[in-house]
Coordinates of all heavy atoms in Angstrom, one line a residue:
M239 N 130.8 68.1 110.5 CA 130.9 69.5 110.9 C 132.1 70.1 110.3 O 132.1 71.3 110.0 CB 130.8 69.6 112.4 CG 130.7 71.0 112.9 SD 129.0 71.5 112.5 CE 128.9 72.9 113.4
A240 N 133.2 69.3 110.2 CA 134.4 69.9 109.6 C 134.2 70.3 108.2 O 134.8 71.3 107.8 CB 135.5 68.8 109.7
N241 N 133.4 69.6 107.4 CA 133.2 70.0 106.1 C 132.5 71.4 106.0 O 132.9 72.2 105.1 CB 132.3 69.0 105.3 CG 133.0 67.7 105.1 OD1 134.3 67.7 105.0 ND2 132.3 66.6 104.9
A242 N 131.6 71.7 106.9 CA 130.9 73.0 106.9 C 132.0 74.1 107.2 O 132.0 75.1 106.6 CB 129.8 73.0 107.9
S243 N 132.8 73.8 108.2 CA 133.9 74.8 108.6 C 134.8 75.0 107.4 O 135.2 76.2 107.1 CB 134.7 74.3 109.7 OG 133.8 74.2 110.9
Q244 N 135.2 74.0 106.7 CA 136.1 74.1 105.5 C 135.4 74.9 104.4 O 136.0 75.8 103.8 CB 136.5 72.8 105.0 CG 137.4 72.1 105.9 CD 137.7 70.6 105.5 OE1 136.9 70.1 104.7 NE2 138.8 70.0 105.9
A245 N 134.1 74.7 104.2 CA 133.4 75.4 103.2 C 133.3 76.9 103.5 O 133.5 77.8 102.6 CB 131.9 74.8 103.0
I246 N 133.1 77.2 104.8 CA 133.0 78.6 105.2 C 134.4 79.3 105.0 O 134.4 80.5 104.5 CB 132.5 78.8 106.6 CG1 131.0 78.4 106.7 CG2 132.7 80.2 107.2 CD1 130.4 78.2 108.0
E247 N 135.4 78.6 105.3 CA 136.8 79.2 105.2 C 137.1 79.4 103.8 O 137.9 80.3 103.5 CB 137.8 78.2 105.9 CG 137.7 78.2 107.4 CD 138.6 77.2 108.0 OE1 139.5 76.6 107.3 OE2 138.4 76.9 109.2
T248 N 136.6 78.6 102.8 CA 137.0 78.8 101.4 C 136.0 79.6 100.7 O 136.2 79.9 99.5 CB 137.1 77.4 100.7 OG1 135.8 76.7 100.8 CG2 138.2 76.6 101.4
F249 N 134.9 80.1 101.3 CA 133.9 80.9 100.7 C 134.6 82.2 100.3 O 135.3 82.8 101.2 CB 132.7 81.1 101.6 CG 131.5 81.7 100.9 CD1 130.7 81.0 100.2 CD2 131.3 83.1 101.1 CE1 129.6 81.5 99.5 CE2 130.2 83.7 100.4 CZ 129.4 82.9 99.7
P250 N 134.4 82.7 99.1 CA 135.0 84.0 98.7 C 134.6 85.2 99.7 O 133.4 85.2 100.2 CB 134.4 84.3 97.4 CG 134.0 82.9 96.8 CD 133.6 82.2 98.0
K251 N 135.5 86.1 99.9 CA 135.3 87.2 100.8 C 135.7 88.5 100.1 O 136.5 88.4 99.2 CB 136.1 87.0 102.1 CG 135.7 85.8 102.9 CD 136.5 85.8 104.2 CE 136.1 84.6 105.1 NZ 136.4 83.3 104.6
F252 N 135.1 89.6 100.5 CA 135.6 90.8 100.0 C 137.0 91.1 100.4 O 137.4 90.9 101.5 CB 134.7 92.0 100.5 CG 133.4 92.1 99.8 CD1 132.2 91.7 100.5 CD2 133.3 92.6 98.5 CE1 131.0 91.8 99.9 CE2 132.0 92.7 97.9 CZ 130.9 92.3 98.6
D253 N 137.8 91.5 99.5 CA 139.2 91.9 99.7 C 139.2 93.4 100.0 O 139.1 94.2 99.1 CB 140.1 91.6 98.6 CG 141.5 92.1 98.7 OD1 141.9 92.6 99.8 OD2 142.3 91.9 97.8
L254 N 139.1 93.8 101.3 CA 139.0 95.2 101.7 C 140.2 96.0 101.4 O 140.1 97.3 101.5 CB 138.6 95.3 103.2 CG 137.3 94.5 103.5 CD1 137.0 94.7 105.0 CD2 136.2 95.1 102.7
S255 N 141.3 95.4 100.9 CA 142.4 96.2 100.4 C 142.3 96.5 98.9 O 143.1 97.3 98.4 CB 143.7 95.5 100.7 OG 143.8 94.3 99.9
N256 N 141.3 95.9 98.3 CA 141.0 96.2 96.9 C 140.0 97.2 96.7 O 138.8 97.1 97.1 CB 140.6 94.8 96.2 CG 140.3 94.9 94.7 OD1 140.1 96.0 94.2 ND2 140.4 93.8 94.1
P257 N 140.3 98.4 96.1 CA 139.3 99.5 95.9 C 138.1 99.1 95.1 O 137.0 99.5 95.4 CB 140.1 100.6 95.2 CG 141.4 100.1 94.9 CD 141.6 98.7 95.5
V258 N 138.2 98.2 94.2 CA 137.0 97.7 93.4 C 136.1 96.9 94.3 O 134.9 97.1 94.3 CB 137.5 96.8 92.2 CG1 136.3 96.3 91.5 CG2 138.3 97.7 91.2
H259 N 136.6 96.1 95.2 CA 135.8 95.3 96.1 C 135.1 96.3 97.1 O 133.9 96.1 97.4 CB 136.6 94.3 96.9 CG 136.9 93.1 96.1 ND1 136.9 91.8 96.7 CD2 137.2 92.9 94.8 CE1 137.2 90.9 95.7 NE2 137.4 91.6 94.6
L260 N 135.8 97.3 97.6 CA 135.2 98.3 98.5 C 134.0 99.0 97.8 O 132.9 99.2 98.4 CB 136.2 99.3 99.0 CG 137.1 98.9 100.1 CD1 138.2 99.9 100.4 CD2 136.3 98.5 101.3
D261 N 134.2 99.4 96.5 CA 133.2 100.1 95.8 C 132.0 99.2 95.5 O 130.8 99.6 95.7 CB 133.7 100.7 94.5 CG 134.7 101.8 94.7 OD1 134.7 102.4 95.8 OD2 135.4 102.1 93.7
M262 N 132.3 98.0 95.1 CA 131.2 97.0 94.8 C 130.4 96.7 96.1 O 129.2 96.5 96.0 CB 131.8 95.8 94.2 CG 130.7 94.8 93.6 SD 129.8 95.5 92.2 CE 130.9 95.1 90.9
R263 N 131.1 96.6 97.2 CA 130.4 96.3 98.4 C 129.4 97.4 98.7 O 128.3 97.1 99.1 CB 131.5 96.2 99.5 CG 130.9 95.8 100.9 CD 132.1 95.7 101.9 NE 131.6 95.8 103.2 CZ 132.3 95.9 104.3 NH1 133.6 95.9 104.2 NH2 131.8 96.0 105.4
K264 N 129.7 98.6 98.5 CA 128.8 99.7 98.7 C 127.6 99.6 97.7 O 126.4 99.8 98.1 CB 129.5 101.1 98.5 CG 128.6 102.3 98.3 CD 128.1 102.8 99.7 CE 127.5 104.1 99.6 NZ 126.1 104.1 99.5
V265 N 127.9 99.3 96.5 CA 126.8 99.2 95.5 C 125.9 98.0 95.8 O 124.6 98.2 95.7 CB 127.4 99.0 94.0 CG1 126.3 98.7 93.0 CG2 128.2 100.2 93.6
M266 N 126.5 96.9 96.2 CA 125.7 95.7 96.6 C 124.8 96.0 97.8 O 123.6 95.6 97.9 CB 126.6 94.5 96.8 CG 127.2 94.0 95.6 SD 128.5 92.8 95.9 CE 127.5 91.4 96.4
T267 N 125.3 96.8 98.8 CA 124.6 97.1 99.9 C 123.4 98.0 99.6 O 122.3 97.8 100.0 CB 125.5 97.9 101.0 OG1 126.5 97.0 101.3 CG2 124.7 98.2 102.2
D268 N 123.6 99.0 98.7 CA 122.5 99.8 98.2 C 121.4 99.0 97.5 O 120.2 99.3 97.7 CB 123.1 101.0 97.3 CG 123.9 102.0 98.1 OD1 123.8 102.0 99.3 OD2 124.6 102.7 97.4
L269 N 121.9 98.1 96.6 CA 120.9 97.3 95.9 C 120.1 96.4 96.9 O 118.9 96.3 96.7 CB 121.6 96.4 94.9 CG 122.0 97.0 93.6 CD1 122.8 95.9 92.8 CD2 120.8 97.5 92.8
H270 N 120.7 95.9 97.9 CA 120.0 95.0 98.9 C 119.0 95.9 99.6 O 117.8 95.5 99.8 CB 121.0 94.4 99.8 CG 120.4 93.3 100.7 ND1 119.7 93.6 101.8 CD2 120.3 92.0 100.5 CE1 119.2 92.5 102.3 NE2 119.6 91.5 101.6
W271 N 119.4 97.1 100.0 CA 118.5 97.9 100.7 C 117.3 98.3 99.9 O 116.1 98.2 100.3 CB 119.2 99.2 101.2 CG 118.3 100.2 101.8 CD1 117.8 101.3 101.2 CD2 117.7 100.2 103.1 NE1 117.0 102.0 102.1 CE2 116.9 101.3 103.3 CE3 117.9 99.3 104.2 CZ2 116.2 101.6 104.4 CZ3 117.2 99.6 105.4 CH2 116.4 100.7 105.5
N272 N 117.5 98.7 98.6 CA 116.5 99.1 97.7 C 115.6 98.0 97.4 O 114.3 98.1 97.3 CB 117.1 99.8 96.5 CG 117.7 101.1 96.7 OD1 117.3 101.8 97.6 ND2 118.7 101.4 96.0
H273 N 116.1 96.8 97.2 CA 115.3 95.6 96.8 C 114.4 95.3 98.0 O 113.2 95.1 97.8 CB 116.2 94.4 96.5 CG 115.5 93.2 96.2 ND1 115.3 92.2 97.2 CD2 114.9 92.7 95.1 CE1 114.6 91.2 96.6 NE2 114.4 91.5 95.4
T274 N 114.9 95.2 99.2 CA 114.2 94.9 100.4 C 113.1 96.0 100.6 O 111.9 95.6 100.9 CB 115.1 94.8 101.6 OG1 116.1 93.8 101.3 CG2 114.3 94.4 102.9
S275 N 113.4 97.2 100.4 CA 112.5 98.3 100.6 C 111.3 98.2 99.6 O 110.2 98.4 100.0 CB 113.2 99.6 100.5 OG 112.3 100.7 100.6
A276 N 111.6 97.8 98.4 CA 110.6 97.7 97.4 C 109.6 96.6 97.8 O 108.4 96.7 97.6 CB 111.2 97.4 96.0
L277 N 110.2 95.5 98.3 CA 109.3 94.4 98.7 C 108.4 94.8 99.9 O 107.3 94.4 99.9 CB 110.1 93.1 99.0 CG 110.8 92.4 97.9 CD1 111.6 91.2 98.4 CD2 109.7 91.9 96.9
Q278 N 109.0 95.5 100.8 CA 108.2 95.9 102.0 C 107.1 96.9 101.6 O 106.0 96.9 102.2 CB 109.2 96.6 103.0 CG 110.1 95.7 103.7 CD 111.0 96.3 104.7 OE1 111.3 97.5 104.5 NE2 111.5 95.6 105.6
R279 N 107.3 97.7 100.5 CA 106.3 98.6 100.0 C 105.3 97.8 99.1 O 104.3 98.4 98.7 CB 106.9 99.7 99.2 CG 107.7 100.7 100.1 CD 108.1 102.0 99.3 NE 108.5 101.7 98.0 CZ 109.7 101.5 97.5 NH1 110.7 101.4 98.4 NH2 110.0 101.3 96.2
G280 N 105.6 96.6 98.8 CA 104.7 95.8 97.9 C 104.8 96.1 96.5 O 103.9 95.8 95.7
V281 N 106.0 96.6 96.0 CA 106.2 96.9 94.6 C 107.2 95.9 94.0 O 108.4 96.1 93.9 CB 106.8 98.3 94.5 CG1 106.8 98.7 93.0 CG2 106.0 99.3 95.3
L282 N 106.6 94.7 93.6 CA 107.4 93.6 93.1 C 108.1 94.0 91.8 O 109.3 93.6 91.7 CB 106.5 92.4 92.9 CG 107.2 91.1 92.5 CD1 108.3 90.7 93.5 CD2 106.3 90.0 92.2
T283 N 107.5 94.8 91.0 CA 108.2 95.1 89.7 C 109.5 95.9 90.0 O 110.5 95.7 89.3 CB 107.3 95.9 88.8 OG1 106.8 97.1 89.5 CG2 106.1 95.1 88.3
T284 N 109.5 96.8 91.0 CA 110.7 97.5 91.3 C 111.7 96.6 91.9 O 112.9 96.7 91.6 CB 110.3 98.7 92.3 OG1 109.4 99.5 91.6 CG2 111.6 99.5 92.6
A285 N 111.3 95.7 92.8 CA 112.2 94.7 93.3 C 112.9 93.9 92.2 O 114.1 93.6 92.3 CB 111.5 93.8 94.3
I286 N 112.1 93.5 91.2 CA 112.7 92.7 90.1 C 113.7 93.5 89.3 O 114.7 93.0 88.9 CB 111.5 92.2 89.2 CG1 110.7 91.1 90.0 CG2 112.1 91.6 87.9 CD1 109.4 90.7 89.3
R287 N 113.5 94.8 89.2 CA 114.5 95.7 88.5 C 115.8 95.7 89.3 O 116.8 95.6 88.7 CB 113.9 97.1 88.4 CG 112.9 97.2 87.3 CD 112.5 98.7 87.1 NE 111.3 98.7 86.2 CZ 110.2 99.2 86.5 NH1 110.0 99.7 87.7 NH2 109.2 99.2 85.7
Y288 N 115.7 95.8 90.6 CA 116.9 95.7 91.4 C 117.6 94.4 91.3 O 118.8 94.3 91.3 CB 116.6 96.1 92.9 CG 116.3 97.6 93.1 CD1 115.1 98.0 93.5 CD2 117.3 98.5 92.8 CE1 114.9 99.4 93.6 CE2 117.1 99.9 92.9 CZ 115.9 100.3 93.4 OH 115.6 101.6 93.5
R289 N 116.8 93.3 91.2 CA 117.4 92.0 91.0 C 118.2 92.0 89.7 O 119.3 91.4 89.6 CB 116.4 90.9 91.1 CG 117.0 89.5 91.0 CD 115.9 88.4 91.1 NE 115.3 88.3 89.9 CZ 114.0 87.9 89.7 NH1 113.3 87.5 90.8 NH2 113.5 87.8 88.5
G290 N 117.6 92.6 88.7 CA 118.3 92.7 87.4 C 119.6 93.4 87.4 O 120.6 93.1 86.8
R291 N 119.6 94.5 88.2 CA 120.8 95.2 88.4 C 121.9 94.4 89.1 O 123.1 94.4 88.7 CB 120.6 96.5 89.2 CG 119.8 97.5 88.5 CD 119.6 98.7 89.3 NE 118.7 99.7 88.6 CZ 118.3 100.8 89.1 NH1 118.7 101.2 90.3 NH2 117.5 101.6 88.4
A292 N 121.5 93.6 90.0 CA 122.4 92.7 90.7 C 123.0 91.6 89.7 O 124.1 91.3 89.7 CB 121.8 92.0 91.9
E293 N 122.1 91.1 88.8 CA 122.5 90.2 87.8 C 123.6 90.9 86.9 O 124.5 90.2 86.5 CB 121.3 89.7 87.0 CG 120.4 88.8 87.8 CD 119.1 88.5 87.1 OE1 118.8 89.1 86.0 OE2 118.3 87.7 87.6
G294 N 123.3 92.1 86.6 CA 124.3 92.9 85.8 C 125.7 93.0 86.5 O 126.7 92.9 85.8
L295 N 125.6 93.3 87.8 CA 126.9 93.3 88.5 C 127.7 92.0 88.5 O 128.9 92.0 88.3 CB 126.6 93.7 90.0 CG 126.2 95.1 90.3 CD1 125.9 95.2 91.8 CD2 127.1 96.1 89.8
E296 N 126.9 90.9 88.5 CA 127.6 89.6 88.5 C 128.2 89.4 87.1 O 129.4 89.0 87.0 CB 126.5 88.5 88.7 CG 127.1 87.1 88.9 CD 127.4 86.4 87.5 OE1 126.6 86.6 86.6 OE2 128.3 85.7 87.4
R297 N 127.6 89.8 86.0 CA 128.1 89.7 84.7 C 129.4 90.6 84.5 O 130.4 90.1 83.9 CB 127.1 90.0 83.6 CG 126.0 88.9 83.5 CD 125.1 89.2 82.3 NE 123.9 88.5 82.5 CZ 122.7 89.0 82.7 NH1 122.5 90.3 82.8 NH2 121.7 88.2 82.8
V298 N 129.3 91.8 85.0 CA 130.4 92.7 84.9 C 131.6 92.1 85.7 O 132.7 92.2 85.2 CB 130.0 94.1 85.4 CG1 131.3 95.0 85.6 CG2 129.1 94.8 84.4
S299 N 131.3 91.7 86.9 CA 132.4 91.1 87.7 C 133.1 89.9 87.0 O 134.3 89.8 87.0 CB 131.9 90.6 89.0 OG 131.3 91.7 89.7
R300 N 132.3 89.1 86.3 CA 132.8 87.9 85.7 C 133.5 88.2 84.4 O 134.6 87.7 84.1 CB 131.7 86.9 85.5 CG 132.1 85.6 84.9 CD 131.0 84.5 84.9 NE 129.7 85.0 84.9 CZ 129.0 85.1 83.7 NH1 129.5 84.7 82.6 NH2 127.7 85.6 83.7
L301 N 132.8 89.0 83.5 CA 133.2 89.1 82.1 C 134.2 90.3 81.9 O 135.1 90.2 81.1 CB 132.0 89.3 81.2 CG 131.0 88.1 81.2 CD1 129.8 88.4 80.4 CD2 131.7 86.8 80.7
V302 N 134.0 91.4 82.7 CA 134.8 92.6 82.4 C 135.9 92.6 83.4 O 137.1 92.8 83.0 CB 133.9 93.9 82.6 CG1 134.8 95.1 82.4 CG2 132.8 93.9 81.5
L303 N 135.6 92.5 84.7 CA 136.6 92.6 85.7 C 137.4 91.3 85.9 O 138.5 91.3 86.4 CB 136.0 93.0 87.1 CG 135.3 94.3 87.1 CD1 134.6 94.5 88.5 CD2 136.2 95.4 86.8
K304 N 136.8 90.2 85.4 CA 137.5 88.9 85.5 C 137.8 88.5 87.0 O 138.9 88.0 87.2 CB 138.7 88.8 84.6 CG 138.5 89.2 83.2 CD 138.5 88.1 82.3 CE 138.5 88.5 80.8 NZ 137.2 88.6 80.2
D305 N 136.9 88.9 87.9 CA 137.2 88.7 89.3 C 136.2 87.6 89.8 O 135.0 87.9 90.0 CB 136.9 90.0 90.0 CG 137.3 90.0 91.5 OD1 137.1 88.9 92.1 OD2 137.7 91.0 92.0
N306 N 136.7 86.4 89.9 CA 135.8 85.3 90.3 C 135.2 85.4 91.7 O 134.1 85.0 91.9 CB 136.6 83.9 90.2 CG 137.0 83.6 88.8 OD1 136.3 84.0 87.8 ND2 138.1 83.0 88.6
E307 N 136.0 85.9 92.6 CA 135.4 86.1 94.0 C 134.3 87.1 94.0 O 133.2 86.8 94.5 CB 136.5 86.5 94.9 CG 137.6 85.5 95.3 CD 138.6 85.3 94.2 OE1 138.8 86.2 93.4 OE2 139.3 84.2 94.2
L308 N 134.5 88.2 93.3 CA 133.5 89.2 93.3 C 132.3 88.7 92.5 O 131.1 89.0 92.9 CB 134.0 90.5 92.6 CG 133.2 91.8 92.8 CD1 132.9 92.0 94.3 CD2 134.0 92.9 92.2
S309 N 132.5 88.0 91.4 CA 131.4 87.4 90.7 C 130.6 86.5 91.5 O 129.3 86.5 91.5 CB 131.9 86.7 89.5 OG 130.9 86.0 88.7
W310 N 131.2 85.7 92.3 CA 130.5 84.7 93.2 C 129.7 85.4 94.2 O 128.6 85.1 94.5 CB 131.5 83.8 93.9 CG 130.8 82.8 94.8 CD1 130.8 82.8 96.1 CD2 130.0 81.7 94.4 NE1 130.1 81.8 96.6 CE2 129.5 81.1 95.6 CE3 129.6 81.2 93.2 CZ2 128.7 80.0 95.6 CZ3 128.8 80.0 93.2 CH2 128.3 79.5 94.4
L311 N 130.3 86.5 94.8 CA 129.5 87.3 95.8 C 128.3 87.9 95.2 O 127.2 88.0 95.8 CB 130.4 88.3 96.5 CG 131.6 87.7 97.3 CD1 132.6 88.8 97.7 CD2 131.0 87.1 98.6
C312 N 128.4 88.4 94.0 CA 127.3 89.0 93.3 C 126.2 88.0 93.0 O 125.0 88.2 93.1 CB 127.7 89.8 92.0 SG 128.7 91.3 92.3
F313 N 126.7 86.8 92.6 CA 125.8 85.7 92.3 C 125.0 85.3 93.5 O 123.8 85.1 93.5 CB 126.5 84.5 91.8 CG 125.7 83.3 91.6 CD1 124.8 83.2 90.5 CD2 125.8 82.2 92.5 CE1 124.0 82.0 90.4 CE2 125.0 81.1 92.3 CZ 124.1 81.0 91.3
C314 N 125.6 85.3 94.7 CA 124.9 85.0 95.9 C 123.9 86.1 96.2 O 122.8 85.8 96.8 CB 125.9 84.9 97.1 SG 127.0 83.4 97.0
L315 N 124.2 87.3 95.9 CA 123.2 88.4 96.1 C 122.0 88.2 95.3 O 120.9 88.3 95.7 CB 123.9 89.8 95.8 CG 123.0 91.0 96.0 CD1 122.7 91.2 97.4 CD2 123.7 92.2 95.4
V316 N 122.2 87.8 94.0 CA 121.1 87.5 93.1 C 120.3 86.4 93.6 O 119.0 86.5 93.6 CB 121.6 87.2 91.7 CG1 120.5 86.7 90.8 CG2 122.3 88.4 91.0
C317 N 120.9 85.3 94.1 CA 120.2 84.2 94.7 C 119.3 84.6 95.9 O 118.2 84.2 96.0 CB 121.1 83.1 95.0 SG 121.9 82.3 93.6
S318 N 119.9 85.5 96.7 CA 119.1 85.9 97.9 C 117.9 86.8 97.4 O 116.8 86.7 98.0 CB 120.0 86.7 98.9 OG 120.3 88.0 98.4
F319 N 118.1 87.6 96.4 CA 117.0 88.4 95.9 C 115.9 87.5 95.3 O 114.7 87.7 95.6 CB 117.4 89.3 94.8 CG 118.2 90.5 95.2 CD1 118.5 90.7 96.6 CD2 118.6 91.5 94.3 CE1 119.2 91.9 97.0 CE2 119.3 92.6 94.8 CZ 119.6 92.8 96.1
E320 N 116.3 86.4 94.6 CA 115.3 85.5 94.1 C 114.5 84.8 95.2 O 113.3 84.7 95.1 CB 116.0 84.4 93.2 CG 116.5 85.0 91.9 CD 117.3 84.0 91.1 OE1 117.7 82.9 91.6 OE2 117.6 84.3 89.9
A321 N 115.2 84.4 96.2 CA 114.6 83.8 97.4 C 113.6 84.8 98.0 O 112.4 84.4 98.4 CB 115.6 83.3 98.4
M322 N 114.0 86.0 98.2 CA 113.1 87.0 98.8 C 111.9 87.3 98.0 O 110.8 87.4 98.5 CB 113.9 88.3 99.1 CG 114.8 88.2 100.3 SD 115.5 89.8 100.8 CE 116.7 90.1 99.6
D323 N 112.1 87.3 96.6 CA 111.0 87.5 95.7 C 110.0 86.4 95.8 O 108.7 86.6 95.9 CB 111.5 87.6 94.3 CG 112.2 88.9 94.0 OD1 112.2 89.8 94.9 OD2 112.9 89.0 92.9
E324 N 110.5 85.1 95.9 CA 109.6 84.0 96.0 C 108.8 84.0 97.3 O 107.6 83.8 97.3 CB 110.4 82.7 95.9 CG 110.9 82.4 94.5 CD 111.7 81.1 94.5 OE1 111.6 80.2 95.3 OE2 112.6 81.0 93.6
L325 N 109.5 84.3 98.4 CA 108.8 84.5 99.7 C 107.7 85.5 99.7 O 106.6 85.4 100.2 CB 109.8 84.7 100.8 CG 110.7 83.5 101.2 CD1 111.8 84.0 102.2 CD2 109.9 82.4 101.8
Y326 N 108.0 86.6 99.0 CA 107.1 87.7 98.9 C 105.8 87.3 98.2 O 104.7 87.5 98.6 CB 107.7 88.9 98.2 CG 106.7 90.0 97.9 CD1 106.3 90.9 98.9 CD2 106.1 90.0 96.6 CE1 105.3 91.8 98.6 CE2 105.1 91.0 96.3 CZ 104.7 91.9 97.3 OH 103.8 92.8 97.0
Q327 N 106.0 86.6 97.1 CA 104.9 86.1 96.3 C 104.1 85.0 97.0 O 102.8 85.1 97.0 CB 105.4 85.5 94.9 CG 105.9 86.6 94.0 CD 106.5 86.1 92.8 OE1 106.7 84.9 92.6 NE2 106.8 86.9 91.8
V328 N 104.7 84.2 97.8 CA 104.0 83.2 98.6 C 103.2 83.9 99.7 O 102.0 83.6 99.9 CB 104.9 82.2 99.2 CG1 104.3 81.3 100.3 CG2 105.5 81.3 98.2
R329 N 103.8 84.9 100.3 CA 103.1 85.6 101.4 C 101.9 86.4 100.8 O 100.9 86.5 101.4 CB 104.1 86.5 102.1 CG 103.5 87.1 103.4 CD 104.5 87.9 104.1 NE 104.6 89.2 103.5 CZ 105.5 90.1 103.9 NH1 106.2 89.9 105.0 NH2 105.5 91.3 103.4
A330 N 102.1 87.0 99.6 CA 101.1 87.8 99.0 C 99.9 87.0 98.5 O 98.8 87.4 98.6 CB 101.6 88.6 97.8
A331 N 100.2 85.7 98.1 CA 99.1 84.8 97.7 C 98.3 84.2 98.9 O 97.2 83.8 98.7 CB 99.7 83.7 96.9
A332 N 98.9 84.3 100.1 CA 98.2 83.7 101.2 C 97.1 84.5 101.7 O 96.9 85.6 101.5 CB 99.2 83.5 102.4

């Protein structure tokens, strides 16, 4: 159990004193809302577009901003979108 606690403590977090992190947090929240909304409406192609935008944010964070923490958080967002897309497809096929 100690390993899980240590992992959570070292997991990157938004630095709320950093204006870039604050702005990116808003953008990521909007993307999450729009992606989820597209899946709820059954428009997978639109959801995939939002996932692509999240992938772009991850690249910008890593390559342009050179912000490893922000890049990791954007990567986690992309992974959650991929998981939601897979669940949507499984549910739609059932």
Side-chain angles (χ1 to χ4, degrees):
M239 191 69 168
N241 289 338
S243 296
Q244 289 172 340
I246 291 170
E247 289 174 11
T248 61
F249 191 81
K251 296 178 178 71
F252 284 105
D253 177 4
L254 299 179
S255 65
N256 183 337
V258 174
H259 281 218
L260 281 175
D261 291 343
M262 188 66 85
R263 185 175 158 192
K264 167 81 168 101
V265 172
M266 291 171 69
T267 301
D268 290 343
L269 279 177
H270 191 278
W271 174 260
N272 290 329
H273 178 266
T274 303
S275 177
L277 289 178
Q278 288 176 339
R279 291 189 324 268
V281 189
L282 184 61
T283 55
T284 301
I286 291 170
R287 286 188 189 117
Y288 286 115
R289 187 178 76 208
R291 291 180 185 180
E293 291 169 353
L295 290 180
E296 188 275 327
R297 287 188 198 111
V298 168
S299 298
R300 181 172 31 94
L301 300 173
V302 177
L303 300 175
K304 309 254 190 265
D305 188 327
N306 292 330
E307 289 80 19
L308 194 54
S309 175
W310 179 254
L311 292 167
C312 290
F313 174 74
C314 291
L315 181 67
V316 171
C317 291
S318 72
F319 284 4
E320 289 173 351
M322 285 190 282
D323 291 349
E324 288 177 25
L325 288 172
Y326 171 83
Q327 291 175 348
V328 168
R329 193 173 79 179

